[in-house]
């Protein structure tokens, strides 16, 4: 029987084209004369009808995700996107384009490596030591994770998906908790994007990360408390690699959607999403500034992402997402001047209508949106905010926190976590022999076992670092309050997880004055941020800063309101 696609109640059959390795595009990713598109079917259209429309437009279906009505298509026709958009059975076609290479250093997340005039080599006061580097993890203490593990360190049956650039499972703090059985790579290397492939198939093996971002996120969620290196918020849960991002740091629609579908089908409990779907910072249904082809591509992105998020949630996945690093109120977005961030068209000004534009995935259905705070508890200057989209706040780091103190502009204001050695070598902070390069001793750390096995760690900042703190607390909630499920499973309703996360968060009132300016920190008026709302919910902190200790200590109240 042909499947039909609906919003909110998507089909439940298998993703027909996914292999056991999680491959979502052809294994050979070398450039060809054809182009690759992600095509989305209209609501209520049967799969066979959608495939016929794709073929009529001149496309060849490479893979299909029937749960969400999404197809990966290749075509050598220059007019394929226009013909697909004109087909009544299809929403549109989002092209996969060459986007260039990621800058060597991220201007927000790696600000400490590009900043001039750094402060003295000191950081926040040290807390109780757990693993050797845990005294540098001010975030663990802020959310009570160091105390929470005495009650609930996490349950091995609870799985947390890291939808990111990969996870380096060779790190001694990641290896004990890495779930090889459920982990998949949905994003083969694209030579025009990521550079030469590391393996002949261009599909990096599971357990590797050539970007570094995903490994950092994974460590914050669940690095093992094993007397080595550092530990995560939920040190006994299982970590699942869902590679949906390219090595270069970009996230295409097709891999992201397939990763979410896999999470739902596989019974993963929590998924962390510290990214936005490229190339548009905001996807709009009909932005007058965009061409008809780009409008159709964005409508396809919106439709596919909402279907995928609904599918994951309806199948038991708690979704946690970074609020973003654009220092804006997401309820009143300013003109987008950064999109598209790849392709043949340079970025251009796009006025953003809040009613018809979405920052995905964080503005999608069922996503817990997380803002970033620094060691002082102040909102990080770069963090997005706003009562419309925020859910909670969490430690994400802020290099410029602590103005007027000796902690101002210090690396230790950021978030330390696991990181792949070879990425540090590519960035120039670790040499060919695996030793830390002079000048990086305060930003990169190396821990080795007696057998010579070593782990590497570095600082990053961003809402990408805040979100995994919240995801870790969500995993502790499932571990503490989850129940046995059918077929020998274990889990908890995402609605209950979300409710308990909000109810146990540590309330924090808006600062005074409510209009926060960051002139002392060297920021101009574009960083000014107004905090609306009351003590129990506001635009900077949502329901509060996540509290791991309260989350595991407080009894579950299924019908309680946040």
């Amino acid at each position: 029987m042909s499947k039909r696609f609906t919003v909110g109640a998507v089909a439940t059959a298998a993703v027909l084209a996914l292999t056991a390795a999680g491959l979502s595009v052809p294994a050979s990713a070398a450039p060809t004369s054809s182009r690759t598109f992600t095509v989305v079917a209209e609501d209520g259209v049967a799969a066979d009808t959608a495939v016929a429309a794709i073929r009529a437009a001149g496309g060849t279906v490479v893979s299909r995700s029937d749960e969400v009505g999404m197809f990966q298509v290749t075509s050598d026709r220059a007019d394929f996107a226009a013909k697909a958009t004109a087909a009544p059975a299809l929403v549109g076609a989002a092209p996969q384009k060459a986007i260039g290479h990621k800058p060597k250093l991220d201007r927000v997340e790696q600000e400490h490596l590009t900043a001039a005039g750094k402060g003295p080599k000191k950081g926040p006061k040290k807390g109780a030591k757990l693993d050797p580097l845990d005294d540098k993890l001010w975030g663990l203490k802020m959310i009570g994770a160091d105390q929470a593990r005495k009650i609930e360190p996490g349950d091995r049956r609870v799985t947390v998906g890291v939808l990111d650039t990969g996870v380096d499972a060779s790190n001694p703090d990641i290896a004990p908790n890495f779930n090889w059985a459920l982990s998949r790579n949905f994003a083969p290397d694209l030579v025009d994007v990521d550079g030469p492939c590391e393996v002949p198939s261009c599909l990096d093996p599971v357990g590797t990360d050539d970007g570094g971002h995903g490994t950092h996120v994974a460590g914050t969620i669940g690095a093992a408390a094993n007397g080595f290196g550092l530990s995560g918020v939920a040190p006994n849960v299982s970590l699942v690699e869902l590679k949906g991002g390219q090595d270069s740091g970009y996230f295409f629609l097709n891999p992201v959607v397939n990763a979410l579908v896999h999470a739902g089908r596989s019974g993963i409990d929590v998924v962390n999403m510290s990214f936005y779907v490229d190339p548009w910072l905001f996807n709009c249904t009909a932005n007058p500034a965009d061409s008809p082809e780009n409008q159709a591509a964005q409508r396809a992105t919106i439709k596919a992402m909402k279907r995928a998020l609904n599918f994951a949630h309806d199948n038991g996945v708690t979704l946690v997402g970074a609020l973003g690093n654009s220092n804006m109120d997401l309820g009143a977005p300013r003109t987008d001047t950064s999109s598209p961030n790849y392709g043949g068209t340079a970025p251009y000004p796009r006025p953003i209508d809040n009613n018809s534009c979405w920052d995905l995935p964080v503005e999608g259905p069922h996503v817990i949106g997380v803002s970033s705070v620094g060691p002082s508890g102040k909102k990080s200057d770069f963090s997005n905010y706003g009562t419309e989209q925020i859910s909670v706040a969490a430690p994400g780091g802020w290099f410029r926190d602590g103005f007027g103190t000796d902690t101002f502009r210090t690396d230790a204001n950021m978030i330390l976590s696991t990181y792949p050695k070879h990425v540090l070598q590519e960035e120039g902070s670790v040499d060919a022999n695996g030793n830390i390069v002079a000048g990086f001793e305060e930003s990169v750390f190396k821990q080795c076992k007696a057998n010579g096995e070593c782990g590497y760690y570095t600082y990053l900042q961003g809402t990408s670092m805040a979100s995994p703190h919240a995801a870790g607390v969500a995993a502790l909630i499932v571990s503490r309050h989850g129940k046995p499920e059918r077929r020998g499973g274990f889990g908890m309703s995402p609605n209950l997880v979300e409710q308990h996360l909000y109810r146990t968060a540590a309330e924090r009132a808006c600062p005074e004055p409510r209009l926060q300016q960051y002139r002392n920190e060297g920021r101009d008026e574009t960083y000014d941020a107004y905090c609306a709302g009351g003590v129990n919910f506001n635009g900077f902190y949502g329901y509060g800063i996540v509290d791991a200790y309260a989350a595991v200590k407080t009894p579950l109240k299924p019908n309680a309101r946040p």
Side-chain angles (χ1 to χ4, degrees), residues 26-37 62 73-77 96-98 190-192:
S28 176
T32 68
S33 59
S34 65
R35 297 173 66 195
T36 302
F37 300 83
V62 175
V73 176
T74 59
S75 178
D76 55 8
R77 292 186 60 120
Q96 180 175 279
K97 305 175 183 177
L190 304 173
V191 294
D192 290 334

Side-chain angles (χ1 to χ4, degrees), residues 274-507:
S274 292
F275 61 90
Y276 71 87
V277 179
D278 295 301
W280 307 98
L281 179 59
F282 289 90
N283 283 274
C284 305
T285 56
N287 194 321
D290 299 327
S291 68
E293 181 179 342
N294 285 335
Q295 289 178 2
Q298 290 171 60
R299 286 194 295 270
T301 297
I302 294 167
K303 184 79 72 175
M305 283 299 298
K306 287 186 175 182
R307 286 176 179 168
L309 293 166
N310 278 322
F311 177 82
H313 176 269
D314 292 347
N315 282 273
V317 181
T318 297
L319 301 163
V320 185
L323 211 58
N325 299 335
S326 300
N327 48 281
M328 75 166 75
D329 182 345
L330 288 178
R334 58 177 177 266
T335 298
D336 173 21
T337 59
S338 65
S339 303
N341 65 359
Y342 67 82
T345 303
Y348 55 87
R350 305 171 65 236
I352 300 301
D353 171 33
N354 190 49
N355 293 320
S356 61
C357 299
W358 287 266
D359 179 359
L360 294 168
V362 73
E363 291 192 312
H366 310 297
V367 179
I368 297 168
V370 187
S371 69
S372 171
V373 299
S376 69
K378 292 182 64 176
K379 184 187 82 68
S380 308
D381 57 5
F382 52 78
S383 179
N384 288 348
Y385 59 97
T387 56
E388 182 178 286
Q389 299 300 336
I390 194 171
S391 302
V392 290
W398 184 23
F399 178 69
R400 303 185 187 214
D401 202 358
F403 177 78
T405 73
D406 58 6
T407 66
F408 180 55
R409 297 174 69 88
T410 55
D411 298 343
N413 284 337
M414 302 170 76
I415 302 299
L416 184 68
S417 190
T418 47
Y419 214 68
K421 179 179 75 171
H422 72 282
V423 178
L424 292 170
Q425 290 173 323
E426 291 169 2
E427 293 175 353
S429 55
V430 171
D431 65 23
N433 296 320
N435 298 315
I436 298 171
V437 174
F440 290 93
E441 297 90 348
E442 295 297 317
S443 60
V444 176
F445 299 87
K446 175 183 178 181
Q447 294 269 298
C448 295
K449 294 182 175 181
N451 64 2
E453 185 181 8
C454 298
Y456 291 80
Y457 311 83
T458 195
Y459 286 105
L460 296 177
Q461 68 176 6
T463 57
S464 284
M465 286 66 249
S467 183
H469 281 86
V473 176
L476 289 178
I477 291 172
V478 179
S479 297
R480 184 66 173 172
H481 304 290
K483 303 292 183 184
E485 296 180 334
R486 292 179 301 171
R487 300 175 184 174
F490 181 85
M492 184 174 172
S493 161
N495 291 333
L496 291 180
V497 176
E498 181 177 4
Q499 180 188 88
H500 196 68
L501 182 72
Y502 297 168
R503 190 167 67 89
T504 58
E507 293 181 350

Side-chain angles (χ1 to χ4, degrees), residues 129-136 173 226-231 447:
K129 200 165 186 177
L130 303 169
D131 279 1
L133 296 176
D134 281 357
D135 59 0
K136 304 179 186 301
D173 270 324
N226 53 3
F228 178 89
L230 49 74
S231 60
Q447 294 269 298

Side-chain angles (χ1 to χ4, degrees), residues 93-158:
Q96 180 175 279
K97 305 175 183 177
I99 61 180
H101 298 285
K102 181 184 178 184
K104 187 173 182 180
L105 297 177
D106 184 284
R107 67 177 183 84
V108 172
E109 294 184 352
Q110 296 174 302
E111 181 185 2
H112 63 309
L113 299 183
T114 60
K118 290 171 65 171
K121 296 179 179 180
K122 293 183 66 176
K125 293 181 180 179
K126 298 179 179 181
K129 200 165 186 177
L130 303 169
D131 279 1
L133 296 176
D134 281 357
D135 59 0
K136 304 179 186 301
L137 306 186
W138 56 269
L140 283 188
K141 185 176 181 180
M142 175 180 282
I143 68 171
D146 53 342
Q147 298 300 314
R149 68 186 55 177
K150 297 176 182 178
I151 300 173
E152 178 57 75
D155 190 306
R156 187 72 64 204
R157 295 172 294 178
V158 175

Side-chain angles (χ1 to χ4, degrees), residues 202-221:
C202 291
L203 185 70
D204 293 338
V206 163
T208 62
D209 180 10
D210 294 323
H213 193 272
T215 301
H216 198 279
V217 166
T220 295
I221 295 169

